[in-house]
């Protein structure tokens, strides 16, 4: 169980770092809307992290 949680955290951190690296790429179409895209992606990460924590709490409570 601890291995799974560590693996999930590593994947989330890697995805966040990858997203932040992509926002710095010099693609003009992306760069013009980078602020909006970053805000949307941040919101998605927050929702997914909260859902994962809620799911983990639910799983722990039923076992």
């Amino acid at each position: 169980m601890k291995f799974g949680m560590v693996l999930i955290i590593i994947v989330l951190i890697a995805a966040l770092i990858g997203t932040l690296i992509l926002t710095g790429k010099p693609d003009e179409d992306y760069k013009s809307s980078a602020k909006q895209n970053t805000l949307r992606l941040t919101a998605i990460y927050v929702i997914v992290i909260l859902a994962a924590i809620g799911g983990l709490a639910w799983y722990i409570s039923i076992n």
Side-chain angles (χ1 to χ4, degrees), residues 1-49:
M1 176 100 168
K2 287 183 182 182
F3 174 74
M5 290 185 348
V6 169
L7 186 61
I8 289 171
I9 291 170
I10 290 171
V11 169
L12 285 173
I13 291 171
L16 180 61
I17 290 171
T19 302
L20 293 176
I21 288 171
L22 283 177
T23 60
K25 294 255 181 191
D27 183 12
E28 291 189 23
D29 291 335
Y30 187 83
K31 204 163 186 132
S32 66
S33 62
K35 185 175 182 180
Q36 292 175 354
N37 289 338
T38 304
L39 182 62
R40 287 185 197 127
L41 287 170
T42 302
I44 290 169
Y45 281 125
V46 168
I47 291 168
V48 168
I49 289 170

